[in-house]
Structure formats: C-alpha cells, structure tokens
Amino acid sequence: MSKKPGFFGRFYMGFILFFLYAPIFVLIVFSFNSTRSRTVWTGFSLQWYQRLFSDGTILDAFYTTLIIAALAAVISTVAGTIAAVGFYNMRSRWRIPLTQINNIPMMNADIVTGVSLSLLFVSLGSVLQFRLGFGTLLLAHITFCIPYVVLAIMPKLRQIDRNLVDAACDLGCTWMKAFWKVIIPEIRPGIINGLIIAFTLSIDDFVISYFTAGGNIMTLPMQIFAMTRRRISPEINALSTILFMSVLILLIIINVRDVKQEEKLKKRAAALNQ
Amino acid sequence: MSKELIRLSNCSMAFDGEYVLKDINLYFNDKEFLTLLGPSGCGKTTTLRIIGGFQKPTSGDVFFDGVRINDVLPHKRAVNTIFQKYALFPHLNVYENIAFGLKLQRQNGKKLSKAEISGRVSEMLDVVSLKGFEKRDVTSLSGGQQQRVAIARALVNRPKVLLLDEPLGALDMRLRKDMQSELKRIQQATGITFIYVTHDQEEALAMSDTVVVMEGGAIQQIGTPEDIYNEPKNAFVADFIGESNILDGIMHSDGVVELFGRKFQCLDGGFSPMEPVDVVIRPEDIDIVDAAEGTLKGTVASITFRGVLYDIIVDFHGFKWLIQTTDLSPIGTEIGIKIDPDGIHIMKKSEFSGMYGDYSSFSDKYDDIGDAESELELEEAEGGYET
C-alpha cells in the first residue's frame, strides 16, 4: 500500500518542481512579451518569433540543426540496431564487457567527448585534407547517438523468444531473412524509440557541436550561445522556447510509446496463461 | 517393416568442453512416433536440435534418407519443429503465421500461388479445429489454441518429419490429455514421422511407437512402451518409467533369485551363477495376503489414497516397499506378500545400481515424479546460435 503524501511531502515536491521549472516558465512567458524588457510584462506579442523567422543566420542554424538531427538519427539508428543485434548474438563472456564499453560514452563528460573528437578530426583532417564543418559535425552526432540507440533496442531483443528465430529458419528462412521477417518487426518499437531519442539528443546538443562544427556552420543551441554573447534580446527567449518545446514533445512521445508497449506485453502474457 | 529415415551415427555434442551428448547411435523409421524421454539435462532437446539443424554435432554424423546432412541448414531440411512455448510470431495473425512457411516455398523457382496458399492454410485450420480464427491475433489466443496454430504452422509445409520439443509442457492436465490423443490422431492421419521430446513418462508411454530413454547424454534403452515398462534394462529406466521397488538380489541359477536370504522363482536367466543383480518388482505385481501365508512379512507404514488404488508403504526389516492395492490394511498391521514369477524382473548391475527404488524417502520422491512442469534444459540456455 502506498501512503498518501502529507502536507510537508506535497510542499517539498512543489518546491522542487518550482525550482526546476520556474526559470523555463519565465523564459517562455517573456518570449511573448511586447517590449524588450525581461522583467516587466507589458503585453502579448509574437514579434520576437516573427523576427526570428526573418533572420537569415537563425534560419540557417535551424535548417542545419534539422538536417544534422535527421541524418544523425537515421544513420546512428541503423548502426545501433546492427550493433545491438550483434551484442545479442554474442556469448555472454563477450557481450557483458562490450555492452559496458558501449555505456561509457554516455557517462563521459560532453566536453571531453567534444574536445577529443575535435582533436581527432583536426589531426585526421591535416592528413586527409578536410576541415571541420558539416561532415565532422554529423560524424560527431552519429558517434554520441549510437550508444543510446543500442540502449533503446537491447531490452526489446532480450524480450524476444530465442526460439522465434529458430522457428523462422525451420520454416524456410535463411538467417538474414529471419532477421528481416522476425527480429526487425519484434524490435521495431525499440528502433523507433532509438530514432526519436537520437533525434532529440542531436537537436539538444551544444558542447560537442561547439567543438566539432568549425567556424562556418552553426546549430540552434550554438546560435543561442552566440546571441547571448552579442546582445541580450527576447529573441533568445523565443528560440529557446522553440527548442524546449520540440524536445519536450519528443520526450512525451517516447514515454507514451513506452507505456503502451508495457500494456501490450502484459496482455500477451495474460493470454498465454489462459 | 518401414524403412529407416534418419540416422545419428556416433553423435557427440559439447558446449564449452562439457559433453551433453556422448556418442549417440540412433535411427528413426519412416511414419514412426518416437519419443525421446528423460529428465532435464539428459540431452534429449540437444538431440532434437541436431536433427532440426539448429546445432551441429561436435563429432559424428547425421543422415537423412542415407544422405549426410551435418552441414545442411535448418531451412533446407525436410523437417519442421514445434518449439517449447510454441514460438509463434507475435506480429502476425493466425493466417499469416500458418502461411509463413508456404510463402517462402519455391516450386521450380516459382512462388506458390495465393490460392494454393490459402487453400492449404484453411485445410490445416480444419485439421486443428481452428476454422474462423484466420484474422485473430495470436497473442489473444489461449495456450491450447496457440498450440494448435503451432502444429498447423509446422504441418502445412508437409514435412517428412515433425520434431516436437515438449509441446504440451505449458498446458494444464486436462488440455494435455486432449492434445495427446489429438497429436496421435494427426500423426496417424498424416503418416508423418513424429520425434517427440518429453520428460513426462506417462505421455511417452501413451503416445509412442518407440521410446528412447536418455540420461546423462547417453541412451539407456530403446524399445516399445511395453518393453520399456516390463523389461527395463537398468535401475534408472526402471525408476524413471512408472514406480518400481528395486532390490539387491543374487542370481542362483536361471529362474531362481535370492532376495532377503530367500529364494524366489522368476522367469529371467542367462546370468553367471551367484551374480549380484538388481531386481525390479512393480508395486502392482505384489499381492497382499495374510501374514502367515506370505513369502515375506512386513508392517504397513503409510497409506495414500490415489482414487482407483491405495499406495501403501510396507516396511520389510528396514527396506521400504511401495505396493499398489485395492485392499486396505490399516497402518501398523502386519501383512504378508506374494510375488508371482512374472512379477519379478532381473537386471544386470549398472552405474545406476543402488541409486533408485527404495521408498524410504517416499514423499519427496513422489512429488518429483508427479511434477510435469516444463523445465528449460541447461544445454538450451548455453546453446546460443548457429548461423
């Protein structure tokens, strides 16, 4: 039995939520302010959003972010799926240490990942004649997304009855066909979740992008950072609001999907025991 | 006499250096219902997986119709399998599950026509009594219905051999009995060779033409259900199949065996004079008589009501016998027993001698035997994939 929280419990909870979300709430409210003031509410307006979408450099950053996020999500999902299936087929002697290694980059400080990727790209670039730019930015995003994709897919693989693949082979599939006809449909929810997570992470990333993008292109988070250094303007509020809302929506989608999957699994188990 | 279809020749299987199958020699006849019977970890599932092509034997050969098939992948074998817990494809409905194999088949390089596929699927649905279930989600079906879909999915491909890996393990008692006769009927109707794996001896005796008893990765005995029950080869088989009292005896000459210092008549022979042997006496072959008339005298130690019969444990100077009888004698009474010569079966001493057949620890042992839960075998968890 769970106990209902008392007054203190509720108060404490509210307090924490307030501290977490009040700054974001204020930021969003003032993105709709009609004047430049960041402290006094003077009336509702969409002018900062309008300005945002008429500013060429911001629009460029917006497109860059979307294209990088889309490409990084798709490529890292393909790579991550293959990696996850590879892990799944390994003997546990190899699988356990290798999945641990997969987890390390996620705990590593972004700045370390960023700097090391930057150093790698610069030194490779001097040999292979390329410079930091779109390509290196994309590679960096793919790199940090893959572990998360693997992590999203592994649980789905573990839920598969091992006999399913054997059954498919037994009925006439080669291993490759069984992979497409049985494994992929079974882990599809995990793949899609991985795709959304990778997309979200890519949109969200600042530190690693900052070190690997070079001087010629910018993503939205980099743009916001640059704007704070030039002049403080409510445009930043508007841009941050857009970023916050898109990440929030993606996270809600992921969570709703997870809940639905759980329910489906429970139903399946219940049917079998009838 | 039907012809030989599959042969395992000196097959051994090791996982990480540990042998789960030791030098198995076994052949399977066409149209036969053969059961591999044994406790968890005896190697029966591994044997099945070798025939199905999911595992390659570490050494030894597999022949199908005289052709060596060690390196033939599962999808190229004229064999289909019904897996533990059915392994239906959850993302496909009943029709798509059954049609899965047909859609992959090629005749002279051409796919089967839609009409042929749907004709064969509905024919199969008829066989397993699931007409009208085509569009149903397999995950919404009960265990028994999923079992039928699994049977249909395998049989629709018209395999020469059907492998069944503890297919009834997940079903409750009643359903299991129904499915046993159902499977037997399907086997007789289709004339397909069934190779059936189970740890449930009753199931094996009820369904099979031939039973292969396995333990410790080796075959202990091959025979008809009657042979296996009446003429067990060693203490393991005698104990695993049905209930047995297994005693130490000394063979004096053909037809005369000594038990507890007394001579009994029996029908077996061919042992050296005074050779120590294991003696099996089935609980139902023992007649209870008045203490004065019996060849042996003992005291009733416990009584369990089993419906048709009582199981009574009788203490004969420290050795506890199980006797099945319809006559009830209260606990503590002294009774005598008589055994007819055909109730005594003599076995050579084996590695299993002395391990089984005493009912001193009656209750634990009995629970073990009644427990027909499906257990995952050790080797299966270790098996991994063969690609």
Side-chain angles (χ1 to χ4, degrees), chain A residues 89 162 164 166 170 181 271, chain B residues 49 80-81 88 91 139 385:
Chain A
N89 280 333
R162 286 234 172 215
L164 280 186
D166 282 347
D170 187 64
K181 280 177 168 279
Chain B
R49 290 177 65 84
N80 284 115
T81 310
L88 299 177
H91 61 286
T139 54
Y385 274 118

Side-chain angles (χ1 to χ4, degrees), chain A residues 73-88:
Chain A
V74 170
I75 297 171
S76 63
T77 301
V78 172
T81 306
I82 294 169
V85 173
F87 283 148
Y88 173 70

